[in-house]
PDB file of all heavy atoms in Angstrom:
ATOM      1  N   VAL B 196      24.019  15.615  22.126  1.00 39.00           N
ATOM      2  CA  VAL B 196      22.836  15.191  22.885  1.00 39.00           C
ATOM      3  C   VAL B 196      21.908  14.441  21.938  1.00 39.00           C
ATOM      4  O   VAL B 196      21.435  14.990  20.959  1.00 39.00           O
ATOM      5  CB  VAL B 196      22.125  16.417  23.478  1.00 39.00           C
ATOM      6  CG1 VAL B 196      20.820  16.022  24.109  1.00 39.00           C
ATOM      7  CG2 VAL B 196      23.031  17.072  24.499  1.00 39.00           C
ATOM      8  N   THR B 197      21.659  13.202  22.229  1.00 40.00           N
ATOM      9  CA  THR B 197      20.862  12.417  21.297  1.00 40.00           C
ATOM     10  C   THR B 197      19.383  12.460  21.597  1.00 40.00           C
ATOM     11  O   THR B 197      18.566  12.250  20.731  1.00 40.00           O
ATOM     12  CB  THR B 197      21.293  10.936  21.334  1.00 40.00           C
ATOM     13  OG1 THR B 197      21.398  10.545  22.692  1.00 40.00           O
ATOM     14  CG2 THR B 197      22.643  10.781  20.649  1.00 40.00           C
ATOM     15  N   ALA B 198      18.988  12.730  22.808  1.00 41.00           N
ATOM     16  CA  ALA B 198      17.566  12.758  23.120  1.00 41.00           C
ATOM     17  C   ALA B 198      16.971  14.056  22.613  1.00 41.00           C
ATOM     18  O   ALA B 198      17.320  15.118  23.072  1.00 41.00           O
ATOM     19  CB  ALA B 198      17.356  12.635  24.626  1.00 41.00           C
ATOM     20  N   MET B 199      16.104  13.936  21.634  1.00 43.00           N
ATOM     21  CA  MET B 199      15.484  15.147  21.085  1.00 43.00           C
ATOM     22  C   MET B 199      14.030  15.164  21.502  1.00 43.00           C
ATOM     23  O   MET B 199      13.394  14.136  21.634  1.00 43.00           O
ATOM     24  CB  MET B 199      15.549  15.117  19.557  1.00 43.00           C
ATOM     25  CG  MET B 199      16.961  15.067  18.998  1.00 43.00           C
ATOM     26  SD  MET B 199      17.768  16.662  19.117  1.00 43.00           S
ATOM     27  CE  MET B 199      16.705  17.638  18.101  1.00 43.00           C
ATOM     28  N   ALA B 200      13.505  16.352  21.676  1.00 43.00           N
ATOM     29  CA  ALA B 200      12.074  16.464  21.946  1.00 43.00           C
ATOM     30  C   ALA B 200      11.302  16.039  20.714  1.00 43.00           C
ATOM     31  O   ALA B 200      11.804  16.070  19.615  1.00 43.00           O
ATOM     32  CB  ALA B 200      11.725  17.900  22.321  1.00 43.00           C
ATOM     33  N   HIS B 201      10.089  15.625  20.924  1.00 43.00           N
ATOM     34  CA  HIS B 201       9.281  15.136  19.806  1.00 43.00           C
ATOM     35  C   HIS B 201       9.100  16.223  18.759  1.00 43.00           C
ATOM     36  O   HIS B 201       9.252  16.001  17.582  1.00 43.00           O
ATOM     37  CB  HIS B 201       7.935  14.662  20.337  1.00 43.00           C
ATOM     38  CG  HIS B 201       7.011  14.255  19.245  1.00 43.00           C
ATOM     39  ND1 HIS B 201       7.415  13.532  18.158  1.00 43.00           N
ATOM     40  CD2 HIS B 201       5.702  14.460  19.060  1.00 43.00           C
ATOM     41  CE1 HIS B 201       6.402  13.310  17.356  1.00 43.00           C
ATOM     42  NE2 HIS B 201       5.346  13.872  17.861  1.00 43.00           N
ATOM     43  N   SER B 202       8.826  17.437  19.172  1.00 45.00           N
ATOM     44  CA  SER B 202       8.755  18.523  18.209  1.00 45.00           C
ATOM     45  C   SER B 202      10.109  19.193  18.241  1.00 45.00           C
ATOM     46  O   SER B 202      10.385  20.039  19.077  1.00 45.00           O
ATOM     47  CB  SER B 202       7.645  19.501  18.588  1.00 45.00           C
ATOM     48  OG  SER B 202       7.788  19.897  19.932  1.00 45.00           O
ATOM     49  N   ALA B 203      10.981  18.753  17.332  1.00 49.00           N
ATOM     50  CA  ALA B 203      12.345  19.265  17.333  1.00 49.00           C
ATOM     51  C   ALA B 203      12.329  20.757  17.040  1.00 49.00           C
ATOM     52  O   ALA B 203      11.434  21.247  16.363  1.00 49.00           O
ATOM     53  CB  ALA B 203      13.170  18.531  16.288  1.00 49.00           C
ATOM     54  N   SER B 204      13.312  21.439  17.531  1.00 57.00           N
ATOM     55  CA  SER B 204      13.367  22.878  17.300  1.00 57.00           C
ATOM     56  C   SER B 204      13.426  23.123  15.796  1.00 57.00           C
ATOM     57  O   SER B 204      14.026  22.344  15.067  1.00 57.00           O
ATOM     58  CB  SER B 204      14.587  23.457  17.989  1.00 57.00           C
ATOM     59  OG  SER B 204      15.751  23.011  17.332  1.00 57.00           O
ATOM     60  N   PRO B 205      12.821  24.159  15.337  1.00 62.00           N
ATOM     61  CA  PRO B 205      12.600  24.297  13.899  1.00 62.00           C
ATOM     62  C   PRO B 205      13.880  24.383  13.078  1.00 62.00           C
ATOM     63  O   PRO B 205      13.849  24.193  11.886  1.00 62.00           O
ATOM     64  CB  PRO B 205      11.769  25.581  13.781  1.00 62.00           C
ATOM     65  CG  PRO B 205      11.935  26.269  15.080  1.00 62.00           C
ATOM     66  CD  PRO B 205      12.198  25.245  16.095  1.00 62.00           C
ATOM     67  N   ASN B 206      14.995  24.660  13.734  1.00 74.00           N
ATOM     68  CA  ASN B 206      16.182  24.846  12.917  1.00 74.00           C
ATOM     69  C   ASN B 206      17.118  23.666  12.919  1.00 74.00           C
ATOM     70  O   ASN B 206      18.139  23.705  12.264  1.00 74.00           O
ATOM     71  CB  ASN B 206      16.959  26.077  13.409  1.00 74.00           C
ATOM     72  CG  ASN B 206      16.219  27.337  13.048  1.00 74.00           C
ATOM     73  OD1 ASN B 206      15.533  27.369  12.047  1.00 74.00           O
ATOM     74  ND2 ASN B 206      16.329  28.343  13.886  1.00 74.00           N
ATOM     75  N   SER B 207      16.840  22.632  13.670  1.00 82.00           N
ATOM     76  CA  SER B 207      17.786  21.533  13.694  1.00 82.00           C
ATOM     77  C   SER B 207      17.027  20.246  13.958  1.00 82.00           C
ATOM     78  O   SER B 207      15.890  20.254  14.376  1.00 82.00           O
ATOM     79  CB  SER B 207      18.826  21.746  14.775  1.00 82.00           C
ATOM     80  OG  SER B 207      18.204  21.612  16.022  1.00 82.00           O
ATOM     81  N   GLY B 208      17.725  19.148  13.689  1.00 89.00           N
ATOM     82  CA  GLY B 208      17.102  17.862  13.945  1.00 89.00           C
ATOM     83  C   GLY B 208      16.730  17.182  12.654  1.00 89.00           C
ATOM     84  O   GLY B 208      17.069  17.623  11.564  1.00 89.00           O
ATOM     85  N   PRO B 209      16.023  16.061  12.771  1.00 93.00           N
ATOM     86  CA  PRO B 209      15.680  15.298  11.575  1.00 93.00           C
ATOM     87  C   PRO B 209      14.626  16.040  10.759  1.00 93.00           C
ATOM     88  O   PRO B 209      13.765  16.714  11.303  1.00 93.00           O
ATOM     89  CB  PRO B 209      15.110  13.995  12.136  1.00 93.00           C
ATOM     90  CG  PRO B 209      14.645  14.331  13.481  1.00 93.00           C
ATOM     91  CD  PRO B 209      15.543  15.420  13.990  1.00 93.00           C
ATOM     92  N   LYS B 210      14.745  15.879   9.435  1.00 92.00           N
ATOM     93  CA  LYS B 210      13.803  16.559   8.552  1.00 92.00           C
ATOM     94  C   LYS B 210      13.455  15.647   7.398  1.00 92.00           C
ATOM     95  O   LYS B 210      14.319  14.909   6.898  1.00 92.00           O
ATOM     96  CB  LYS B 210      14.460  17.810   7.949  1.00 92.00           C
ATOM     97  CG  LYS B 210      14.420  19.024   8.817  1.00 92.00           C
ATOM     98  CD  LYS B 210      13.204  19.843   8.527  1.00 92.00           C
ATOM     99  CE  LYS B 210      13.075  21.106   9.347  1.00 92.00           C
ATOM    100  NZ  LYS B 210      14.119  21.460  10.244  1.00 92.00           N
ATOM    101  N   LEU B 211      12.213  15.760   6.945  1.00 95.00           N
ATOM    102  CA  LEU B 211      11.760  14.944   5.831  1.00 95.00           C
ATOM    103  C   LEU B 211      10.887  15.835   4.969  1.00 95.00           C
ATOM    104  O   LEU B 211       9.866  16.335   5.425  1.00 95.00           O
ATOM    105  CB  LEU B 211      10.943  13.784   6.393  1.00 95.00           C
ATOM    106  CG  LEU B 211      10.535  12.666   5.469  1.00 95.00           C
ATOM    107  CD1 LEU B 211      11.734  12.013   4.884  1.00 95.00           C
ATOM    108  CD2 LEU B 211       9.725  11.660   6.248  1.00 95.00           C
ATOM    109  N   ILE B 212      11.318  16.076   3.741  1.00 95.00           N
ATOM    110  CA  ILE B 212      10.570  16.998   2.886  1.00 95.00           C
ATOM    111  C   ILE B 212      10.378  16.347   1.521  1.00 95.00           C
ATOM    112  O   ILE B 212      11.321  15.798   0.954  1.00 95.00           O
ATOM    113  CB  ILE B 212      11.331  18.332   2.718  1.00 95.00           C
ATOM    114  CG1 ILE B 212      11.669  18.899   4.085  1.00 95.00           C
ATOM    115  CG2 ILE B 212      10.491  19.331   1.933  1.00 95.00           C
ATOM    116  CD1 ILE B 212      12.296  20.241   4.059  1.00 95.00           C
ATOM    117  N   TYR B 213       9.171  16.438   1.007  1.00 94.00           N
ATOM    118  CA  TYR B 213       8.827  15.842  -0.283  1.00 94.00           C
ATOM    119  C   TYR B 213       8.753  16.956  -1.315  1.00 94.00           C
ATOM    120  O   TYR B 213       8.063  17.955  -1.104  1.00 94.00           O
ATOM    121  CB  TYR B 213       7.482  15.130  -0.168  1.00 94.00           C
ATOM    122  CG  TYR B 213       6.861  14.728  -1.470  1.00 94.00           C
ATOM    123  CD1 TYR B 213       7.363  13.662  -2.191  1.00 94.00           C
ATOM    124  CD2 TYR B 213       5.758  15.404  -1.979  1.00 94.00           C
ATOM    125  CE1 TYR B 213       6.789  13.286  -3.394  1.00 94.00           C
ATOM    126  CE2 TYR B 213       5.185  15.037  -3.176  1.00 94.00           C
ATOM    127  CZ  TYR B 213       5.703  13.968  -3.884  1.00 94.00           C
ATOM    128  OH  TYR B 213       5.139  13.600  -5.065  1.00 94.00           O
ATOM    129  N   VAL B 214       9.487  16.796  -2.409  1.00 94.00           N
ATOM    130  CA  VAL B 214       9.480  17.807  -3.473  1.00 94.00           C
ATOM    131  C   VAL B 214       9.152  17.105  -4.774  1.00 94.00           C
ATOM    132  O   VAL B 214       9.715  16.047  -5.064  1.00 94.00           O
ATOM    133  CB  VAL B 214      10.870  18.472  -3.598  1.00 94.00           C
ATOM    134  CG1 VAL B 214      10.849  19.500  -4.705  1.00 94.00           C
ATOM    135  CG2 VAL B 214      11.273  19.113  -2.301  1.00 94.00           C
ATOM    136  N   CYS B 215       8.255  17.684  -5.553  1.00 89.00           N
ATOM    137  CA  CYS B 215       7.928  17.009  -6.793  1.00 89.00           C
ATOM    138  C   CYS B 215       7.837  18.014  -7.931  1.00 89.00           C
ATOM    139  O   CYS B 215       7.699  19.216  -7.705  1.00 89.00           O
ATOM    140  CB  CYS B 215       6.672  16.176  -6.625  1.00 89.00           C
ATOM    141  SG  CYS B 215       5.194  16.808  -7.349  1.00 89.00           S
ATOM    142  N   SER B 216       7.972  17.531  -9.136  1.00 88.00           N
ATOM    143  CA  SER B 216       8.081  18.435 -10.274  1.00 88.00           C
ATOM    144  C   SER B 216       6.767  19.130 -10.584  1.00 88.00           C
ATOM    145  O   SER B 216       6.761  20.044 -11.408  1.00 88.00           O
ATOM    146  CB  SER B 216       8.575  17.677 -11.506  1.00 88.00           C
ATOM    147  OG  SER B 216       7.780  16.541 -11.705  1.00 88.00           O
ATOM    148  N   ASP B 217       5.659  18.732  -9.932  1.00 87.00           N
ATOM    149  CA  ASP B 217       4.419  19.502 -10.096  1.00 87.00           C
ATOM    150  C   ASP B 217       4.452  20.769  -9.285  1.00 87.00           C
ATOM    151  O   ASP B 217       3.560  21.600  -9.399  1.00 87.00           O
ATOM    152  CB  ASP B 217       3.211  18.690  -9.606  1.00 87.00           C
ATOM    153  CG  ASP B 217       2.982  17.475 -10.474  1.00 87.00           C
ATOM    154  OD1 ASP B 217       3.374  17.522 -11.645  1.00 87.00           O
ATOM    155  OD2 ASP B 217       2.413  16.491  -9.961  1.00 87.00           O
ATOM    156  N   GLY B 218       5.441  20.895  -8.412  1.00 88.00           N
ATOM    157  CA  GLY B 218       5.520  22.093  -7.596  1.00 88.00           C
ATOM    158  C   GLY B 218       5.224  21.874  -6.127  1.00 88.00           C
ATOM    159  O   GLY B 218       5.367  22.784  -5.330  1.00 88.00           O
ATOM    160  N   ALA B 219       4.842  20.656  -5.752  1.00 90.00           N
ATOM    161  CA  ALA B 219       4.534  20.408  -4.346  1.00 90.00           C
ATOM    162  C   ALA B 219       5.811  20.375  -3.534  1.00 90.00           C
ATOM    163  O   ALA B 219       6.818  19.829  -3.967  1.00 90.00           O
ATOM    164  CB  ALA B 219       3.800  19.082  -4.198  1.00 90.00           C
TER     165      ALA B 219
END
Side-chain angles (χ1 to χ4, degrees):
Chain B
V196 173
T197 47
M199 299 285 298
H201 175 42
S202 51
S204 69
N206 288 329
S207 69
K210 277 268 181 4
L211 189 60
I212 307 185
Y213 167 74
V214 179
C215 105
S216 52
D217 294 334

